[in-house]
Amino acid sequence: MAAAGLQAPTSVCDLSLGEPRGSTDSPPEPKQLPELIRLKRDGGRLSKGDIRGFVRAVVDGSAQGAQIGAMLMAIRLQGMDLEETMALTQALANSGQQLEWPEAWHRQLVDKHSTGGVGDKVSLVLAPALAACGCKQVPMISGRGLGHTGGTLDKLESIPGFTVIQSPEQMQVLLERVGCCIVGQSKKLVPADGILYEARDVTATVDSLPLITASILSKKVVESLSALVVDVKFGGAAVFSSQAEAQKLARALVDVGAGLGLRVAAALTAMDNPLGRSVGHTLEVEEALLCMDGAGPPDLRDLVTRLGGTLLWLNGQAEAQAEGIARVAAALDNSSARDRFERMLAMQGVDPGLARALCSGTPAQRRQLLPRAREQEELLAPADGTVEQIQALPLARVLHELGAGRNRAGEPLRLGVGAELLVGVGQRLSRGTPWLRVHLDTPALSGPQLCALQGALVLSDRAPFISPSPFAELILPQIGTQ
């Protein structure tokens, strides 16, 4: 569908999509929220006007929390077709201020989004790496934790002083001087999605394909992007358990993006094991810095360079993906990405001395500068064997119980709570070898928590092996859609 067909109506009273042009009848009265909820609950199709009316009620406060939850659940159960999803995306995007950038930046404007994973700190590394490659990583409008996954904003806010709310004017200064910034949603910037995002977390509607699609792309529509890559996770600890399910979301993101004038690529990546060796807010910041030292876990580096290389290629700043991958890798190895990260921290509220110490210090020095949990507890391998898998989901659930995640919107987090994997997939272990170090604020892990964590370690009898990359597949726009 052409983008022109997706223009949002100017009033919640606009005619439905099927209304003939030129009708002289008065437009119908806008439906009340209970009627809209009932319509979608019973499998009906919402018009552009219906969707705009719901979104407007969300923003102006006339929609009660129960009504928002009911509509989200109706959408989760009944789904939305492509046109409904496009209309919802556009309505969310139009609920607040649009971002505008200098004309000279238009071929440089790129962004990345992840559907969320355990230990996924890619955004913290990729944004400054792309800035070092000459891109404008337009304000990466990130979210907080949803379900058992950690949010990029929560991780960054574990750095004392970091401020996620920036005005459009401040964002432009950040992009001029640094080349990247990572911000949250303010009341002026996609406010409707900010409300729905929090509601999804506490209403068991996180896994709705149209809600995910609209949430992701609405934040990108307002950015005036040249190119976008979305990291769509699948596996035991992802929103979608199978690669086939993730493909549906990936294709929806690419197709809806094309309809709205966005050049979108979607990478499918496995989320059965945690990404990297650290899970938890401050621990993930430390590991992101390690990656920007040119070191760190190979799976994290591989994903950062692949996603960044795809963006450089998609945006025309590299002739091939391999060239783009090499350029991002160089930014990690020559400290230019880390330098950009330090400048971003200082310009987003972190004391310049602290930003410098974090980025130039050793791993041990960095740990002293960030919030820490009160206790540490190590788990030992129960038997000899090769690490076949470290199941991410039970690990994330225990950390959530320990305070690393939220049970309700706005709940404070224990930023120092987390876990370090002391072994990697494919490694041979002997019985009694420490394999996990848990950082916690309680005196000790409970019996059920210990049982769940030990159950996450899957051992086999086969020979040691090299752990495969989490990257599985890349879905690109179809020819003629851009």
Side-chain angles (χ1 to χ4, degrees):
M1 173 171 288
L6 300 173
Q7 292 174 353
T10 57
S11 164
V12 296
C13 299
D14 277 300
L15 304 178
S16 69
L17 294 175
E19 184 96 13
R21 292 179 180 268
S23 172
T24 58
D25 294 338
S26 299
E29 289 294 320
K31 299 182 181 70
Q32 298 299 309
L33 284 181
E35 186 180 357
L36 292 179
I37 295 167
R38 187 181 306 112
L39 175 62
K40 177 48 66 179
R41 180 201 68 187
D42 295 341
R45 186 177 179 282
L46 299 177
S47 71
K48 284 185 181 180
D50 293 338
I51 291 168
R52 279 183 60 98
F54 169 67
V55 170
R56 178 170 296 180
V58 168
V59 175
D60 68 21
S62 59
Q64 301 174 29
Q67 292 174 317
I68 294 174
M71 178 61 88
L72 292 176
M73 185 58 71
I75 294 171
R76 163 64 180 81
L77 296 176
Q78 297 293 349
M80 280 182 152
D81 63 26
L82 183 62
E83 289 189 350
E84 284 179 296
T85 306
M86 293 169 74
L88 178 59
T89 304
Q90 192 70 67
L92 294 177
N94 290 346
S95 68
Q97 187 172 358
Q98 308 296 301
L99 298 176
E100 297 181 0
W101 313 111
E103 183 70 27
W105 292 4
H106 284 186
R107 291 293 299 170
Q108 300 172 276
L109 299 166
V110 300
D111 202 358
K112 169 264 176 189
H113 185 88
S114 170
T115 57
V118 179
D120 184 0
K121 69 283 295 179
V122 168
S123 293
L124 278 64
V125 182
L126 184 58
L130 286 169
C133 290
C135 293
K136 299 293 185 185
Q137 175 72 60
V138 302
M140 189 179 276
I141 304 174
S142 299
R144 301 191 182 277
L146 274 181
H148 62 271
T149 63
T152 297
L153 298 183
D154 298 319
K155 295 166 191 175
L156 282 168
E157 284 184 331
S158 73
I159 303 173
F162 191 89
T163 304
V164 302
I165 300 301
Q166 303 286 329
S167 70
E169 294 75 20
Q170 290 169 318
M171 293 178 201
Q172 182 154 333
V173 172
L174 275 157
L175 292 182
E176 287 173 350
R177 298 183 184 178
V178 182
C180 64
C181 59
I182 302 178
V183 303
Q185 291 166 249
S186 68
K187 292 181 180 179
K188 294 183 178 180
L189 203 60
V190 206
D193 180 65
I195 297 168
L196 296 185
Y197 193 96
E198 287 193 344
R200 285 167 55 210
D201 195 18
V202 294
T203 55
T205 56
V206 169
D207 62 347
S208 166
L209 190 149
L211 293 177
I212 295 172
T213 302
S215 177
I216 292 171
L217 294 182
S218 64
K219 295 190 283 286
K220 309 309 174 184
V221 167
V222 302
E223 294 178 344
S224 303
L225 294 176
S226 174
L228 168 69
V229 65
V230 184
D231 181 4
V232 181
K233 305 291 189 185
F234 67 90
V239 174
F240 298 106
S241 59
S242 72
Q243 187 170 341
E245 290 177 302
Q247 283 175 331
K248 294 178 183 178
L249 173 61
R251 178 50 62 190
L253 289 165
V254 171
D255 291 347
V256 172
L260 296 173
L262 288 175
R263 187 183 293 110
V264 181
L268 300 181
T269 65
M271 182 41 65
D272 292 308
N273 304 295
L275 182 63
R277 293 288 190 94
S278 295
V279 182
H281 303 93
T282 58
L283 296 179
E284 291 188 45
V285 170
E286 292 173 19
E287 188 164 82
L289 285 164
L290 197 60
C291 187
M292 286 183 273
D293 290 336
D299 59 341
L300 173 60
R301 178 185 171 96
D302 180 74
L303 196 51
V304 168
T305 55
R306 283 179 183 268
L307 294 176
T310 297
L311 266 178
L312 292 177
W313 170 67
L314 193 65
N315 199 39
Q317 291 178 272
E319 292 187 3
Q321 288 173 277
E323 178 190 334
I325 289 171
R327 287 182 59 193
V328 175
L332 300 179
D333 294 336
N334 64 22
S335 301
S336 59
R338 192 181 64 201
D339 291 344
R340 297 279 179 159
F341 187 71
E342 178 184 334
R343 289 158 61 184
M344 183 185 78
L345 294 183
M347 289 196 66
Q348 289 196 234
V350 178
D351 178 86
L354 174 59
R356 188 176 310 110
L358 270 176
C359 292
S360 61
T362 65
Q365 290 169 334
R366 289 166 178 164
R367 181 151 296 181
Q368 299 300 316
L369 298 170
L370 296 171
R372 292 184 294 164
R374 293 194 296 268
E375 306 290 341
Q376 295 182 16
E377 187 170 341
E378 290 189 352
L379 276 67
L380 308 180
D384 295 343
T386 298
V387 180
E388 195 71 31
Q389 184 182 356
I390 300 173
Q391 295 178 341
L393 185 57
L395 175 60
R397 284 176 170 165
V398 170
L399 294 179
H400 189 282
E401 289 178 13
L402 293 172
R406 295 184 178 86
N407 292 312
R408 60 180 183 275
E411 187 175 13
L413 298 171
R414 295 184 180 273
L415 298 172
V417 167
E420 295 175 87
L421 305 182
L422 306 178
V423 300
V425 172
Q427 181 178 335
R428 187 72 180 177
L429 280 185
S430 299
R431 184 177 184 272
T433 303
W435 73 274
L436 184 72
R437 181 181 298 125
V438 181
H439 297 242
L440 65 167
D441 284 335
T442 54
L445 294 165
S446 69
Q449 289 169 343
L450 276 170
C451 184
L453 290 175
Q454 289 288 34
L457 177 65
V458 180
L459 300 175
S460 72
D461 293 330
R462 69 166 167 157
F465 60 92
I466 297 175
S467 178
S469 167
F471 182 88
E473 183 180 356
L474 183 66
I475 295 180
L476 296 169
Q478 296 177 358
I479 296 175
T481 63
Q482 294 293 308

